[in-house]
Each structure stands twice: as C-alpha cells, then as structure tokens.
C-alpha cells in the first residue's frame, strides 16, 4: 500500500491525479480509506513539514471536511467538527478563511498559495487527494496536566501564563513587566500551545488584545530567537500570511519583535518593538 507514516497518521499523497472533491473521496474509498482528517494542530504541522521536506510544495491537497450540509458548520465525513480559527485556517490582517467566496466554496483543502493552511474552495475544483489509512488502534490525545500556577498566572496547555490585559507596553518594557511577576515574555514552541492560547483568548473574551511574545531578531536581522537564545520556529502554521505565497515576518529592520496581533488572528507577526501592546508572560515557578 502507498501509505507513509506522518506523525501518528498513515497518509497517501495521491499526486498522480488532480480530481474534484467527490472524485478524491471515491479514490480514497477505492483503497478502503477516507480523505485525511486533520483535527489537531500537531497533525497540521506534521503534514505541512512533510510537504515542505519532500518536494510537494507545488501541490494542493483535498482534506476530509465540508460545510455542504449546513453553511458554516464544517464537518468531516464521519460528522466530527473541523477545527476553526488559528492555527488551522489561513489569516491575513484583512480577514481569515473560510470566506465562502461567491457563496460557492464548501470543501476543505490545504492550499499551496496559503502556505498549506486550510482554505474553503469550490468542490468541483481539481486538486490532489490526501488519503488517510484507518487506524486499528485509536490514539487518545495527551492532555497536559493542570499546573498550580502563582497569582496572575493561569495554566494553559502545560504553561503558566499571565495575560496582562491591564497594561500596554513597548516590547522592552513588557519584558520588565514580566520580570516584575518573576516571569519572562512567553515563548511558544509547540503548535498546540498556540492553539490553546487562541482558544483561551476567545473563551475569556480577551481576543481583542494584541500580545507581545519573547521573540526577536534585533540581535541579527532575520535570525529569530526567544529570550533564552533558542530559535523561533519559522513558517506556517506559526506565522500568519501576508498575501498569497508570502508568510510573515516581512517588516525587515523596522519590525524586530513578535506580536500575537489581534487583527492578524493571533498568529506570529513581526512588529515594531516600540508599539504599545499587552505583555504575555510565562513562568516556570
């Protein structure tokens, strides 16, 4: 069988034929399988990394997801909810997918022009199927333990984070504000952490804030590191899109600090370090 391990999934990138969404499903069914369901941020990143590492970056791939039955309610063929928002769906400063352009885009795809973030597209478009082999043993996602965090910090996906919504500081002053809580500006090194923070912001009603992270390329242009000197993960799905085929950072020497920009749907974006934004702190205490 032509399936290959990608993270915890067995996938087949059927790059020999561009077909419609219905035909893509039938092709996977002919292998007694289904289009791939990408329901966790880790799976999304694993697939994007595999595509980029294996010369598949010029392809577009159908996924298991549609809102054909009820507009805006994205479901897999088995009825599971397709995750919405960051870091799954492509976002620019002007808006986030899905946009149902011309009220005719009802099928789910990983779009090469959008750096393989999710996109809604017309179902009669011809793209490549991405099939997933059924797992005999279903894996259960590991839930990070709830941490006993100090005052002002909350446990979010294994991190103790302080969302300092009462303050707006430059990046340097935001670091000092975190130091005052015996912490540091947050380093987001796992895509599930970014997803958990996005969900927390919306659950708590604070998604209107833009948050400084502890990443910068001020020491050497283009070399992004966290405050502890470790490298920042670049590319999709951490960094937001600027336009087709272009992903942040794009600000050059004028924008040397990482911001979870509310207008940019809380993907990583480079910004001027002199902007007044909300500190997002973390502590290991």
């Amino acid at each position: 069988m032509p399936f290959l391990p990608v993270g915890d999934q067995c996938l087949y990138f059927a790059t020999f034929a561009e077909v419609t969404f219905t035909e893509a499903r039938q092709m996977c069914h002919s292998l007694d399988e289904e289009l791939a369901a990408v329901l966790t941020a880790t799976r999304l990143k694993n697939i994007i990394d595999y595509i980029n590492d294996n010369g598949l970056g010029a392809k577009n791939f159908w996924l298991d997801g549609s809102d054909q039955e009820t507009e805006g309610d994205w479901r897999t063929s088995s009825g599971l909810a397709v995750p919405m928002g960051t870091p799954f769906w492509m976002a620019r400063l002007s808006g986030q997918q899905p946009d149902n352009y011309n009220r005719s885009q009802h099928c789910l795809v990983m779009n090469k022009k959008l750096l393989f973030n999710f996109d809604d597209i017309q179902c009669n478009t011809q793209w490549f199927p991405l099939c997933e082999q059924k797992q005999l043993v279903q894996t259960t996602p590991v839930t990070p333990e709830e941490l006993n965090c100090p005052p002002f910090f909350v446990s979010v996906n294994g991190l103790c984070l302080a969302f300092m919504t009462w303050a707006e500081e430059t990046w340097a002053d935001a670091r000092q504000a975190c130091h005052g809580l015996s912490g540091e500006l947050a380093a987001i090194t796992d895509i599930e952490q970014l997803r958990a923070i996005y969900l927390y912001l919306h659950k708590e009603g604070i998604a209107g804030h833009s948050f400084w992270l502890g990443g910068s390329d001020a020491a050497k242009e283009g070399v992004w590191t966290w405050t502890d000197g470790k490298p920042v993960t670049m590319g999709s799905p951490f960094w937001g899109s600027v336009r087709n085929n272009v992903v942040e950072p794009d600000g050059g020497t004028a924008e040397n600090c990482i911001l979870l920009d509310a207008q940019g749907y809380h993907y990583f974006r480079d910004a001027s370090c002199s902007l007044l934004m909300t500190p997002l702190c973390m502590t290991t205490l």
Side-chain angles (χ1 to χ4, degrees), residues 3 41 60 103 126 179 226 237 248 285:
F3 289 85
N60 298 297
R103 299 184 180 181
Q126 293 189 329
H179 295 169
W226 300 112
E248 302 269 11
L285 295 179

Side-chain angles (χ1 to χ4, degrees), residues 76-151:
T76 68
S77 55
S78 62
L80 297 175
V82 174
M84 305 306 291
T86 305
F88 293 93
W89 293 81
M90 188 282 295
R92 302 188 180 116
L93 294 177
S94 58
Q96 185 166 39
Q97 298 291 342
D99 62 357
N100 192 22
Y101 183 70
N102 285 337
R103 299 184 180 181
S104 61
Q105 297 181 320
H106 299 295
C107 291
L108 182 63
V109 70
M110 296 183 78
N111 190 336
K112 66 183 181 183
K113 291 183 179 180
L114 308 185
L115 289 307
F116 300 104
N117 282 109
F118 289 0
D119 187 20
D120 59 336
I121 199 74
Q122 291 180 338
C123 301
N124 61 0
T125 308
Q126 293 189 329
W127 282 350
F128 296 104
L130 176 53
C131 305
E132 178 180 6
Q133 192 172 48
K134 299 184 183 75
Q135 298 184 30
L136 297 178
V137 178
Q138 295 296 320
T139 57
T140 302
V142 177
T143 302
E145 66 173 309
E146 195 77 12
L147 301 178
N148 185 21
C149 298

Side-chain angles (χ1 to χ4, degrees), residues 21-230:
F21 178 78
T22 299
E23 292 166 343
R25 287 200 67 201
Q26 189 280 325
M27 185 185 295
C28 296
H29 293 170
S30 72
L31 299 171
D32 196 28
E33 309 299 351
E34 182 55 88
L35 284 171
V38 181
L39 303 179
T40 71
T42 297
R43 286 184 174 181
L44 175 67
K45 186 176 187 303
N46 286 340
I47 294 172
I48 291 175
D49 288 347
Y50 184 90
I51 288 171
N52 290 328
D53 293 343
N54 289 275
L56 300 176
K59 315 289 186 184
N60 298 297
F61 293 98
W62 289 118
L63 295 179
D64 185 5
S66 172
D67 73 340
Q68 287 177 302
E69 186 170 329
T70 303
E71 170 60 32
D73 183 17
W74 285 83
R75 299 277 170 177
T76 68
S77 55
S78 62
L80 297 175
V82 174
M84 305 306 291
T86 305
F88 293 93
W89 293 81
M90 188 282 295
R92 302 188 180 116
L93 294 177
S94 58
Q96 185 166 39
Q97 298 291 342
D99 62 357
N100 192 22
Y101 183 70
N102 285 337
R103 299 184 180 181
S104 61
Q105 297 181 320
H106 299 295
C107 291
L108 182 63
V109 70
M110 296 183 78
N111 190 336
K112 66 183 181 183
K113 291 183 179 180
L114 308 185
L115 289 307
F116 300 104
N117 282 109
F118 289 0
D119 187 20
D120 59 336
I121 199 74
Q122 291 180 338
C123 301
N124 61 0
T125 308
Q126 293 189 329
W127 282 350
F128 296 104
L130 176 53
C131 305
E132 178 180 6
Q133 192 172 48
K134 299 184 183 75
Q135 298 184 30
L136 297 178
V137 178
Q138 295 296 320
T139 57
T140 302
V142 177
T143 302
E145 66 173 309
E146 195 77 12
L147 301 178
N148 185 21
C149 298
F152 298 111
F153 289 86
V154 293
S155 179
V156 179
N157 198 261
L159 300 175
C160 283
L161 300 176
F163 299 81
M164 296 182 64
T165 54
W166 58 89
E168 289 189 340
E169 311 280 1
T170 66
W171 187 83
D173 288 343
R175 283 198 72 188
Q176 291 300 316
C178 292
H179 295 169
L181 294 179
S182 298
E184 180 57 273
L185 281 174
I188 302 176
T189 59
D190 184 280
I191 198 63
E192 295 292 352
Q193 295 170 352
L194 180 60
R195 174 62 174 175
I197 289 170
Y198 174 84
L199 293 176
Y200 180 86
L201 295 178
H202 286 268
K203 177 175 72 74
E204 293 293 319
I206 56 174
H209 290 266
S210 298
F211 294 89
W212 285 126
L213 297 180
S216 172
D217 72 339
K220 184 176 181 180
E221 175 60 29
V223 179
W224 290 85
T225 58
W226 300 112
T227 54
D228 62 4
K230 294 179 181 178

